[in-house]
Amino acid sequence: MKKKITLLLVMIFFSTFLFSHTSSDRALRLTVLLNGFPKEAITSDIEYVFKHDENTKYYFLEPTPVSHQTGPTNAWKAKQVGIFYFASYYGA
């Protein structure tokens, strides 16, 4: 019984990872959520800005998430590694 529960939890984690990292928009929304902006992660429009190289794209969010410590966090990048996308904060 314990093996089944463990296997189920691993499968749920793996499925969630696959779902959230197979699109640049979903990876970006997950990263914004994990950075502490839940409202902006759900409601913001993602504006594609430019493509730096074959594997890196830059985005702006509208409305811009505003951190109390650093101010507006408007520039984000999504990098493609294989079939997965990983997003991170790029700068103002």
Side-chain angles (χ1 to χ4, degrees), residues 11-77:
M11 289 179 64
I12 289 172
F13 176 77
F14 186 68
S15 299
T16 304
F17 176 83
L18 283 176
F19 178 75
S20 63
H21 289 285
T22 53
S23 166
S24 60
D25 289 351
R26 288 192 299 258
L28 181 60
R29 290 189 187 278
L30 178 66
T31 302
V32 172
L33 176 73
L34 294 177
N35 278 313
F37 305 108
K39 180 182 174 192
E40 289 83 357
I42 296 169
T43 62
S44 292
D45 293 327
I46 298 174
E47 297 177 17
Y48 173 74
V49 179
F50 66 93
K51 189 175 190 177
H52 175 69
D53 59 16
E54 191 174 309
N55 296 330
T56 306
K57 296 178 183 177
Y58 294 90
Y59 296 94
F60 283 143
L61 296 180
E62 187 61 42
T64 301
V66 178
S67 172
H68 296 292
Q69 293 138 350
T70 60
T73 54
N74 55 356
W76 300 82
K77 71 176 179 178

